[in-house]
Amino acid sequence: MKDKVFRVLFIAVTVFYLLIAFGSSVKADMGPKPSIKLTVVNASDDYYVALLDCYPNEDRTNSELKLDNVTDESVNAYLEEFVYDRWHFFQSPVGNNVFHSTEEGVYDFTYSVPNPFRVVLISADGTVKVSEEFTKEEYNAVCTYDAASGKITEYRTNRIARRVIYTAICYILTILIELGVLAAFGYPFNKFNIICFFMINTITNIPYNIVIANMSKGGIALIVFSFLMECLIFVVEALFYLFTIKYKDGTVHHKRNLFYSIAANAASAAFGFVGLFIAAMFI
């Protein structure tokens, strides 16, 4: 009876994942893309700011770092032809490409931003400044550009702490869920079974959740990736449990071990899908 219950649970969770992952992947471009929230400091009161992308195979003459008669139209025309040591104006197909200065000095570049990137800033007097080259580490980066020094910095400390906490919580909850399924299947909590259980879950769960935490804003791509990783974990753990954990009589029941692996992973995978939304909101 228990085997049938867990088989139904496994089928239901798998169908749910298939509908979400493959049904949504058709519209994968609708998911969130890498972004940069840029704060500009130590700049003049009136300026325009944009990003630059690198085109290493192009060799064109650098643009003059000066613009006469600064207006919205002239700035856009200037940037469309802009070249600086093989760096060109980044033109996003969606959203703003150029921002006029605001009192807060915070600008959101939101659609598949370049990485590495540079910042170009055009002051009201026509002076053009180009930042140092910078490689962001976050999928959705929070950066500060110092117009005086030309340096870019990225804020990461708080996010790293959140990711460590997220990974630890997911690991603990997975352990509790799968231990509950282990008990439901009637396996004794002896030393051998517990060592096997913790060993395989540590090997599969911690790396998986570290990757998920670092892709927390990946949108539909994250769901598809999560589904594929869950499938891989299903296979790895099924093969491991098939020949390891022992039943009450001290023998290895291959069929029962296989069903346990499927049921345990189905239960924790269902929780893991909820965890994706938690990661997207808080990490």
Side-chain angles (χ1 to χ4, degrees):
M1 181 65 181
K2 289 181 180 179
D3 286 352
K4 291 182 179 179
V5 171
F6 283 117
R7 268 182 276 182
V8 171
L9 173 63
F10 166 69
I11 293 171
V13 172
T14 301
V15 170
F16 178 67
Y17 259 78
L18 285 169
L19 289 174
I20 293 295
F22 291 103
S24 299
S25 64
V26 175
K27 301 181 179 179
D29 195 55
M30 295 176 64
K33 302 296 186 292
S35 67
I36 298 172
K37 180 182 286 291
L38 183 71
T39 300
V40 176
V41 298
N42 296 326
S44 59
D45 292 334
D46 191 9
Y47 59 84
Y48 292 83
V49 63
L51 300 182
L52 300 180
D53 196 1
C54 185
Y55 294 80
N57 296 325
E58 292 193 17
D59 190 10
R60 293 165 52 191
T61 303
N62 285 352
S63 301
E64 182 181 358
L65 298 182
K66 181 68 178 177
L67 177 63
D68 298 324
N69 188 29
V70 177
T71 64
D72 291 353
E73 293 75 17
S74 65
V75 167
N76 279 286
Y78 172 78
L79 287 174
E80 284 180 2
E81 301 298 325
F82 183 81
V83 179
Y84 181 86
D85 292 343
R86 299 180 181 177
W87 288 79
H88 298 189
F89 171 49
F90 169 68
Q91 300 190 56
S92 169
V94 178
N96 286 337
N97 297 309
V98 185
F99 289 93
H100 198 178
S101 55
T102 62
E103 184 176 349
E104 297 80 12
V106 180
Y107 313 97
D108 290 311
F109 297 91
T110 57
Y111 193 94
S112 296
V113 293
N115 194 37
F117 68 95
R118 285 186 171 186
V119 174
V120 58
L121 188 144
I122 304 173
S123 300
D125 63 2
T127 302
V128 180
K129 294 182 178 180
V130 178
S131 76
E132 63 179 9
E133 177 182 335
F134 187 80
T135 301
K136 69 183 184 73
E137 297 188 32
E138 298 287 347
Y139 191 85
N140 297 98
V142 178
C143 298
T144 298
Y145 167 54
D146 188 332
S149 66
K151 292 184 177 181
I152 300 172
T153 55
E154 183 176 2
Y155 179 73
R156 300 187 67 232
T157 304
N158 188 44
R159 291 188 176 190
I160 292 174
R162 290 183 182 185
R163 287 172 182 178
V164 170
I165 293 171
Y166 170 81
T167 301
I169 290 175
C170 287
Y171 176 73
I172 292 170
L173 288 177
T174 298
I175 292 298
L176 293 176
I177 291 169
E178 296 196 10
L179 275 177
V181 179
L182 190 72
F185 268 78
Y187 287 95
F189 286 7
N190 56 41
K191 183 177 180 180
F192 178 79
N193 283 352
I194 292 300
I195 289 175
C196 291
F197 175 85
F198 275 95
M199 182 173 66
I200 190 62
N201 275 286
T202 300
I203 291 172
T204 58
N205 185 267
I206 291 180
Y208 167 73
N209 281 300
I210 289 174
V211 174
I212 293 299
N214 281 279
M215 291 179 63
S216 59
K217 307 296 183 185
I220 300 302
L222 175 59
I223 297 174
V224 174
F225 172 81
S226 176
F227 174 78
L228 295 176
M229 287 300 297
E230 288 286 3
C231 288
L232 178 61
I233 290 173
F234 265 61
V235 173
V236 170
E237 293 196 3
L239 291 174
F240 177 82
Y241 283 128
L242 194 61
F243 303 103
T244 52
I245 55 175
K246 298 178 180 180
Y247 196 53
K248 296 175 182 179
D249 57 7
T251 62
V252 176
H253 292 203
H254 299 294
K255 183 178 178 181
R256 192 178 194 86
N257 288 10
L258 178 61
F259 280 127
Y260 160 71
S261 175
I262 293 172
N265 277 286
S268 60
F271 159 76
F273 186 77
V274 176
L276 295 182
F277 292 96
I278 296 173
M281 288 188 292
F282 297 107
I283 296 180

